[in-house]
Amino acid sequence: MGAEARAFDGKAFTRRLSTGPGVYLMKDAEGSVLYVGKAANLRKRVASYFDARPKGSRIMRMIARITDIEVSLTRTEGEALLLENEWIKAHRPRYNVLLRDDKSYPWIVLTTDHDFPRVAFHRGRRDPKRTYLGPYPSAGSVRESINLIQKIFRVRNCEDSYFANRSRPCLQYQIRRCTAPCVDEVSANDYAAQVDDALLFLKGQSQKVITRLIGRMEAAAAEQKFEQAAIFRDQIESLKQMQSQQFVSAGNGDADIIAVAIGGGGACVQVVSFRGGRNLGQRSHFPTQVGEATASEILEAFLGQYYRERIPPSDIILSDSVDSIVVFAEVFSERAGKRVTLQPNPRGDRRQWLEGAKRNAENALSIHQASDARIEQQFEVLADLLGMSEPPETMECFDISHTAGNQAVASCVVFGRQGPVKSLYRRFNIKGITPGDDYAAMRQVLERRYRKLAEGEGEAPGLVIVDGGKGQLKQALEVFAELGLDGIPLMGVAKGPDRRAGYEDWVLPGRARPLEPGPESPASHLVQAIRDEAHRFAISGHRGRRQKAAVASPLEGIAGVGAGRRRALLSHFGGIRGVRKAGVEELASVPGISTELARRIYDALH
């Protein structure tokens, strides 16, 4: 590879490049992407890598590996910025500063596909028929906002299934957190106005909501509807009280404060978010592959990746200036549909908030690095106890959860040298075994997990842990032997005396007596953490499967009764209770239900 890399003539290559804006992608001999960058002048920027000026050791190592460079011309530098971040997300180059791909950000959803929308907490994929606000920095900030929506605007929070089966108002109505649209205590138009007000509030347009409410209060008072006018008055007072606590005095109160801290070979980027003047909370980000990058370089890489899928606020306050500040302002303004300003090193109150964010970034980085050092020590002690030549890069742990053998779910959680790797977690619904047979369940999940690995797909973990004693470990050993994976280290973790945490027995292949590291061992803390996480992940999956089974219609298991016929039956008889009460002749009177099928339905329900 080295000879091929030296054969690449960077100076000759750059002479053929355009002087316009674009994106360049550097590759090594295997075709792996090393680095993605943008430039206002491609020729000048790419040539800078191959000139005689001194460069950092990290950049020199990268240049030594380059065997090819691809370029893509763009019309503007703004387009280059967008394309650069698309390519960074797609390729995850090893020499770019990377923002971890965190999909865990929570949102607020308004189910606007329903006649009476509900406000709720949401993670994951988004339905285009619904309205989403966010993402928010933390789950706590989402729940606080939902609480305010219920308190001020009385928008429902209940599940649609609960809403559809109410015959009288629930407790939320009694404590004035909902207007009970489920039992027609509020008209469709009035409820739609509540939802619209809540939506404006969440978008930071509190003053517009106040103006509306003042108009409604005055109209209600003029019609001598004093109780209704008092409700509007209370809403106005609540909103004004919140406005008086706003930190942003100019603009619409939307701002992100972003501060960078560097130290110990790592970095932390702290983001504090304000919307409509409300502090939504803060979040610490730990970019990877920082190397010798400066605070400005880290911040520039962060901005492009962070706002790739987010609508930027009007004001972005930065701890350090960035080279592309003008380009970012243009691109973000176009994306937001309004003027977006990036302000490094502000004065006055904003400087105080920025200094607070900077202190939090430094503190978070210190804690993060201490945690990394602790985990590294735990891995080293674990390897020593197990007689491994070096610590494992990754560990996978398996657990089974069920209730009396039913709805069994197996979990696989993965820990790396920096802790949990949640993107690699997997759940498996266990099928086709005798209920309660934990050995068969463990065998099944291991076969399903590692079959593709045996076929040459994926990377083998450095250690596999099964929750259980000799029986579970025996199943794992047999599966690995059948798959030809008996080179992967295995261990079982059995509950210790009195099931006390930290006193677990480590069951190892070929060892007569279990290993008992005890609660003081750092390795014991690590194994306990991954086993507890596997247990938690299995239980949550089992509960979901059990709940789904509990609410499933008894009609679903009847041959010949599909979704259409289920709807027809439930609609005709007013629910499953009515279907149960019906005789064969009554069932057969429903369109699409023959006498033979009606008999089958009756027998199944009785």
Side-chain angles (χ1 to χ4, degrees):
M1 186 200 307
E4 292 180 12
R6 285 191 294 273
F8 181 76
D9 191 340
K11 292 182 179 180
F13 176 83
T14 55
R15 283 196 290 269
R16 302 193 300 270
L17 289 180
S18 165
T19 56
V23 178
Y24 56 94
L25 183 149
M26 296 172 168
K27 294 183 175 181
D28 64 13
E30 280 79 32
S32 300
V33 178
L34 298 171
Y35 185 79
V36 173
K38 71 174 188 314
N41 183 323
L42 270 173
R43 182 189 298 172
K44 183 177 179 181
R45 181 72 184 96
V46 177
S48 68
Y49 290 95
F50 304 100
D51 59 24
R53 285 178 294 182
K55 300 169 182 64
S57 58
R58 187 166 178 269
I59 297 299
M60 292 300 294
R61 288 196 301 271
M62 181 190 77
I63 294 171
R65 298 185 61 182
I66 296 172
T67 60
D68 187 28
I69 299 178
E70 292 181 13
V71 298
S72 179
L73 302 179
T74 58
R75 291 178 299 174
T76 65
E77 193 177 353
E79 286 184 7
L81 174 66
L82 296 174
L83 181 59
E84 176 194 34
N85 286 289
E86 290 290 339
W87 281 7
I88 288 173
K89 180 178 175 62
H91 298 290
R92 311 294 292 174
R94 65 172 299 174
Y95 286 94
N96 280 90
V97 175
L98 298 178
L99 175 62
R100 285 195 174 111
D101 189 14
D102 191 347
K103 296 182 174 63
S104 66
Y105 278 93
W107 297 69
I108 288 177
V109 59
L110 280 164
T111 58
T112 42
D113 55 341
H114 192 283
D115 291 338
F116 294 94
R118 67 185 286 251
V119 59
F121 182 102
H122 177 82
R123 288 188 195 269
R125 297 181 63 182
R126 299 192 290 279
D127 185 339
K129 297 177 182 178
R130 298 181 172 187
T131 302
Y132 297 87
L133 288 306
Y136 282 73
S138 65
S141 60
V142 171
R143 294 189 178 99
E144 181 185 350
S145 295
I146 290 174
N147 183 52
L148 284 170
I149 292 300
Q150 289 188 274
K151 182 179 178 181
I152 299 175
F153 302 107
R154 302 176 69 183
V155 175
R156 75 178 182 96
N157 176 245
C158 59
E159 294 283 353
D160 290 347
S161 57
Y162 185 81
F163 174 89
N165 291 289
R166 295 298 302 173
S167 59
R168 58 189 178 87
C170 68
L171 180 62
Q172 291 292 312
Y173 175 78
Q174 304 297 333
I175 62 175
R176 304 181 70 83
R177 293 296 180 96
C178 178
T179 49
C182 54
V183 290
D184 300 324
E185 290 290 332
V186 61
S187 69
N189 288 338
D190 287 347
Y191 189 81
Q194 293 172 215
V195 173
D196 193 36
D197 289 344
L199 190 56
L200 285 174
F201 170 77
L202 290 170
K203 290 180 177 179
Q205 300 181 37
S206 300
Q207 188 55 50
K208 188 172 182 178
V209 178
I210 289 172
T211 302
R212 283 184 178 185
L213 292 173
I214 289 173
R216 292 176 198 161
M217 180 183 67
E218 292 174 347
E223 295 174 11
Q224 297 187 355
K225 297 179 179 178
F226 299 116
E227 185 175 344
Q228 186 65 43
I231 292 174
F232 292 136
R233 179 204 62 205
D234 293 344
Q235 289 178 307
I236 292 165
E237 288 179 357
S238 296
L239 289 171
K240 284 187 173 180
Q241 183 178 3
M242 288 179 56
Q243 279 188 331
S244 68
Q245 298 169 354
Q246 289 182 358
F247 114 92
V248 185
S249 58
N252 63 3
D254 291 353
D256 281 346
I257 299 173
I258 305 177
V260 180
I262 299 177
C268 174
V269 182
Q270 192 82 359
V271 181
V272 185
S273 298
F274 292 84
R275 296 296 183 270
R278 289 191 305 124
N279 186 336
L280 299 186
Q282 57 186 335
R283 187 156 183 155
S284 303
H285 302 263
F286 302 95
T288 60
Q289 303 170 190
V290 171
E292 302 157 353
T294 65
S296 294
E297 289 168 342
I298 292 169
L299 197 53
E300 179 147 350
F302 178 85
L303 288 171
Q305 295 175 55
Y306 183 75
Y307 290 110
R308 178 181 171 275
E309 296 179 350
R310 294 172 175 81
I311 302 299
S314 302
D315 294 300
I316 301 175
I317 301 165
L318 308 173
S319 61
D320 300 86
S321 185
V322 295
D323 292 339
S324 302
I325 194 166
V326 175
V327 179
F328 277 121
E330 291 175 358
V331 171
F332 291 172
S333 296
E334 184 176 350
R335 179 169 176 75
K338 60 187 176 186
R339 185 169 180 265
V340 174
T341 302
L342 284 80
Q343 183 182 11
N345 300 314
R347 298 178 180 177
D349 293 340
R350 295 188 174 195
R351 172 169 285 279
Q352 294 180 14
W353 283 92
L354 182 60
E355 288 174 352
K358 181 85 171 179
R359 287 193 299 272
N360 287 334
E362 292 168 349
N363 184 56
L365 179 60
S366 176
I367 293 171
H368 181 73
Q369 290 177 335
S371 176
D372 282 352
R374 179 176 56 83
I375 294 175
E376 189 69 29
Q377 182 200 18
Q378 290 174 338
F379 269 83
E380 290 173 357
V381 174
L382 175 66
D384 187 54
L385 284 171
L386 299 181
M388 302 173 71
S389 58
E390 59 182 7
E393 288 296 326
T394 58
M395 301 189 302
E396 296 188 358
C397 184
F398 295 83
D399 190 22
I400 311 291
S401 179
H402 57 79
T403 300
N406 298 311
Q407 288 87 43
V409 173
S411 69
C412 170
V413 303
V414 182
F415 271 36
R417 301 283 276 273
Q418 283 75 45
V421 187
K422 295 191 176 183
S423 62
L424 299 180
Y425 285 16
R426 295 292 183 270
R427 288 195 185 101
F428 301 83
N429 289 336
I430 303 300
K431 302 175 182 178
I433 66 168
T434 303
D437 188 345
D438 285 351
Y439 294 162
M442 184 62 72
R443 171 179 283 275
Q444 183 180 127
V445 65
L446 292 171
E447 287 175 345
R448 289 167 63 182
R449 174 66 172 175
Y450 295 115
R451 187 179 297 119
K452 288 187 177 180
L453 180 63
E455 295 170 356
E457 296 183 30
E459 289 189 26
L463 175 65
V464 172
I465 301 172
V466 295
D467 185 63
K470 292 181 179 179
Q472 281 84 354
L473 182 63
K474 181 183 177 183
Q475 300 300 317
L477 287 167
E478 289 177 359
V479 169
F480 277 35
E482 291 169 8
L483 296 175
L485 301 174
D486 41 7
I488 299 176
L490 275 164
M491 66 178 282
V493 180
K495 296 177 179 65
D498 302 322
R499 305 171 70 93
R500 293 168 64 190
Y503 290 89
E504 293 82 7
D505 291 337
W506 294 7
V507 186
L508 304 175
R511 185 184 174 103
R513 294 177 59 83
L515 195 64
E516 300 174 0
E520 303 301 322
S521 170
S524 181
H525 301 161
L526 176 62
V527 171
Q528 185 181 338
I530 191 171
R531 193 205 60 173
D532 289 349
E533 180 68 350
H535 190 55
R536 178 201 66 79
F537 197 55
I539 286 177
S540 62
H542 165 63
R543 284 175 178 164
R545 191 179 180 192
R546 186 177 63 191
Q547 184 178 12
K548 185 177 180 181
V551 301
S553 169
L555 298 173
E556 290 183 17
I558 304 173
V561 182
R565 285 173 175 162
R566 284 200 301 272
R567 282 195 299 270
L569 286 164
L570 295 171
S571 175
H572 185 87
F573 294 105
I576 191 64
R577 185 178 298 177
V579 179
R580 288 184 187 277
K581 290 180 179 179
V584 173
E585 291 183 0
E586 291 175 286
L587 292 169
S589 68
V590 177
I593 306 296
S594 66
T595 302
E596 180 183 351
L597 181 56
R599 169 60 64 186
R600 198 183 310 147
I601 293 169
Y602 183 87
D603 290 345
L605 295 179
H606 296 82

